Amino acid sequence: MLQLRIFSAVQNCRCSYRSFHSSSVTSKYADTLEILGDKYHTDEITNVTPSILSKIPLQVHKQTGHPLNTLRSIIESHYPDFSHFSSFNPLVTPFKNFDELAFPKDHPGRSVTDSYYIHKNLMLRTHTSAHEVEVFSKGEDKWLLTADVYRRDEIDGSHYPVFHQMEGARLYSADASGMKQVEEDNERLSRHLKMSNIIIEDIPHISPTNPVQRTHDPVHSELVAKNLKLSLNSLLLRLFGSTASEEPLRVRWIEAYFPFTSPSFEVEVFFRGKWLEILGCGVVIQSTLDISNVEGKIGWAFGLGLERIAMILYSIPDIRLFWSTDERFLSQFKDGEITTFKPYSKFPSCFKDVSFWNAQGSAPLHDNDFCDLVRDVAGDLVEDVKMIDSFVHPKTNRSSSCYRINYRSMDRSLSNEEVNELQKSVVTRLTDLFRVEIR
Ligand code: PHE
């Protein structure tokens, strides 16, 4: 599952078979949790784990020299006349994360299997768009906001339950003078892009399946969508235009769906033989601007994934490295410079399988519950987790699952004993918390 795709139509389809059931494990939570110095009560849907909570104070996107910080400042310097924010609190209400942005009540992103909740009315933001209304309400017309975001997900080299996004937005007056400004800006950007060495596959700004909003003049919407694309193509040229490769960079625009933009798009970059999704964007829906008390304006917003882009630019092969405190990682980078990461060594991996019968009468354990449990035991020593088998016993109707956990440290060789201990803890927790029966 692509991290940016979680709120798009594609993800919607993939999730539709999921139920809202979570094998929630209330017994493991104290009555209160302390986060950034404040205390919060827990309830029956609390599902944040200690390993997730430990990431909240780290703020790697603000550490001098860290690749994510350098990338953030390069993007900020590309938008010099925008306001730049990077210190918003990650704890938000579900209202702010979803309702203000017109997410339907039954959107899968709201479920406890996909998002981290402190309690019913407080969660870790799943995207930087959660702050759109707050920033527009301040009267900001052009702004960038960088933040850590949290999503329950599978474990592999390009997924991590905490990652960083950068939200950007630009509003114009929805009148002749505003549109003249958009046209001038579009002219300037088009001229600049003519000289680029990137190949951009484009699609119409507006199509029947990706409609103009009812309250918008189609000509205005077209101009603003064009402005959005030109502005982002120019950013992509800034970021990828000078990568020393024989092949020109290939970028493609595709249609997308987000509840809070229309028309909506995604951008993918061709990297190591695969199309990688790096951002979602679109023309901001009217209701967001109405809630923000913004009148007579029209504009766009985008949200991009910083890790994905940094992995391409720095050739960083594993997303866990962004959290490394190893000097062999950190000392390679200079503030403000993009350099190619030199792997210090690839240490051996060791996999272990665990098969179990799910508790009688319950739905199979959710992948994300299993992954969070493993992450909590093994931290960044787990490289990936895959379900390798599942079936339902024809007579007893009990379901069985088998997962393969691949352990590998990025810094050292793991001993057999150490891995066995980790695996033992995984098995113990699994039986304690989810009442499964090991096979
Ligand atoms: N918030 C969206 C995501 O995380 C990305 C997005 C931002 C889309 C702004 C449209 C506008 O997937």
Side-chain angles (χ1 to χ4, degrees):
M1 179 175 7
L2 298 176
Q3 289 191 326
L4 266 154
R5 188 157 280 177
I6 194 159
F7 294 138
S8 70
V10 179
Q11 177 64 15
N12 236 324
C13 304
R14 282 181 57 176
C15 275
S16 57
Y17 62 87
R18 284 188 188 174
S19 72
F20 270 52
H21 155 92
S22 157
S23 323
S24 75
V25 265
T26 38
S27 57
K28 89 182 162 178
Y29 292 101
D31 291 346
T32 56
L33 290 174
E34 189 169 322
I35 305 171
L36 298 174
D38 288 316
K39 290 212 165 68
Y40 299 91
H41 72 268
T42 58
D43 66 13
E44 68 283 1
I45 72 159
T46 308
N47 65 356
V48 277
T49 62
S51 113
I52 291 299
L53 292 177
S54 71
K55 296 291 190 294
I56 297 177
L58 301 182
Q59 302 283 292
V60 292
H61 63 288
K62 294 202 270 181
Q63 267 169 35
T64 311
H66 194 282
L68 295 178
N69 183 54
T70 291
L71 183 54
R72 170 175 74 86
S73 51
I74 292 174
I75 297 174
E76 286 177 348
S77 70
H78 192 74
Y79 292 97
D81 55 344
F82 279 43
S83 302
H84 302 154
F85 303 100
S86 54
S87 301
F88 279 50
N89 195 308
L91 298 175
V92 296
T93 58
F95 186 80
K96 196 166 155 143
N97 197 78
F98 298 119
D99 300 82
E100 278 184 355
L101 296 164
F103 277 72
K105 282 282 176 229
D106 60 351
H107 193 282
R110 294 179 187 258
S111 73
V112 285
T113 50
D114 283 26
S115 299
Y116 289 106
Y117 285 84
I118 315 304
H119 56 66
K120 264 198 245 31
N121 290 319
L122 198 66
M123 64 186 301
L124 289 165
R125 69 184 151 222
T126 61
H127 57 164
T128 41
S129 306
H131 300 291
E132 276 192 10
V133 167
E134 193 174 350
V135 181
F136 284 137
S137 301
K138 291 175 195 272
E140 295 282 349
D141 276 353
K142 357 179 196 177
W143 52 269
L144 291 175
L145 182 149
T146 312
D148 38 334
V149 300
Y150 299 77
R151 293 184 194 174
R152 302 191 69 198
D153 214 334
E154 62 214 65
I155 299 182
D156 67 26
S158 58
H159 291 90
Y160 203 83
V162 192
F163 60 102
H164 294 80
Q165 284 190 331
M166 202 154 180
E167 191 91 357
R170 174 87 164 99
L171 300 182
Y172 293 92
S173 297
D175 57 15
S177 80
M179 290 308 112
K180 186 159 172 270
Q181 207 187 338
V182 181
E183 274 174 311
E184 283 167 8
D185 206 29
N186 287 355
E187 269 291 305
R188 179 183 59 79
L189 288 163
S190 304
R191 247 180 291 136
H192 162 71
L193 281 160
K194 281 221 177 76
M195 301 169 306
S196 78
N197 64 340
I198 57 178
I199 300 175
I200 301 167
E201 292 175 27
D202 209 346
I203 48 165
H205 306 301
I206 290 166
S207 82
T209 47
N210 207 4
V212 174
Q213 295 167 45
R214 265 189 302 114
T215 53
H216 284 166
D217 177 330
V219 176
H220 293 185
S221 186
E222 165 77 34
L223 281 173
V224 168
K226 189 168 172 198
N227 187 254
L228 164 66
K229 287 195 188 169
L230 288 167
S231 173
L232 284 170
N233 284 339
S234 143
L235 173 67
L236 295 171
L237 175 63
R238 165 76 182 82
L239 292 175
F240 297 108
S242 59
T243 38
S245 112
E246 313 84 65
E247 306 240 325
L249 183 85
R250 289 171 65 199
V251 171
R252 72 176 180 197
W253 283 82
I254 50 178
E255 287 194 349
Y257 165 78
F258 298 101
F260 45 97
T261 48
S262 192
S264 305
F265 312 95
E266 280 168 354
V267 173
E268 296 182 339
V269 170
F270 197 69
F271 179 66
R272 295 193 178 153
K274 277 200 290 199
W275 286 102
L276 266 194
E277 187 189 337
I278 55 163
L279 68 86
C281 62
V283 177
V284 177
I285 51 159
Q286 190 58 41
S287 64
T288 304
L289 299 179
D290 291 344
I291 304 171
S292 316
N293 288 319
V294 170
E295 273 172 34
K297 302 231 167 126
I298 178 169
W300 49 252
F302 67 79
L304 54 81
L306 285 181
E307 276 84 348
R308 282 282 170 84
I309 297 176
M311 286 172 89
I312 302 175
L313 292 176
Y314 288 85
S315 300
I316 292 177
D318 190 309
I319 198 162
R320 289 175 295 168
L321 284 161
F322 291 104
W323 300 94
S324 173
T325 50
D326 193 311
E327 271 310 299
R328 286 170 298 179
F329 177 75
L330 292 175
S331 67
Q332 289 197 21
F333 306 106
K334 280 214 197 74
D335 197 28
E337 270 179 44
I338 293 183
T339 47
T340 304
F341 170 65
K342 294 179 210 69
Y344 25 93
S345 172
K346 185 121 174 147
F347 295 92
S349 71
C350 171
F351 71 80
K352 299 273 172 203
D353 293 347
V354 54
S355 310
F356 52 87
W357 292 111
N358 286 286
Q360 194 94 46
S362 344
L365 183 61
H366 194 286
D367 282 357
N368 289 349
D369 284 329
F370 185 79
C371 286
D372 267 333
L373 181 150
V374 176
R375 182 85 75 188
D376 236 20
V377 169
D380 288 349
L381 298 180
V382 51
E383 183 168 76
D384 58 62
V385 171
K386 275 191 199 75
M387 171 179 278
I388 53 171
D389 189 31
S390 72
F391 68 90
V392 177
H393 192 287
K395 287 213 179 96
T396 62
N397 232 4
R398 257 183 120 177
S399 62
S400 160
S401 312
C402 178
Y403 285 93
R404 173 159 297 173
I405 307 173
N406 201 24
Y407 296 96
R408 187 204 305 266
S409 163
M410 290 173 298
D411 316 323
R412 62 196 171 84
S413 286
L414 295 175
S415 70
N416 243 336
E417 295 77 59
E418 197 175 355
V419 174
N420 286 338
E421 276 307 309
L422 291 171
Q423 185 70 4
K424 222 165 93 193
S425 303
V426 166
V427 169
T428 312
R429 282 220 200 179
L430 202 52
T431 41
D432 287 355
L433 297 175
F434 297 104
R435 291 173 291 114
V436 307
E437 195 185 306
I438 303 297
R439 304 184 51 206

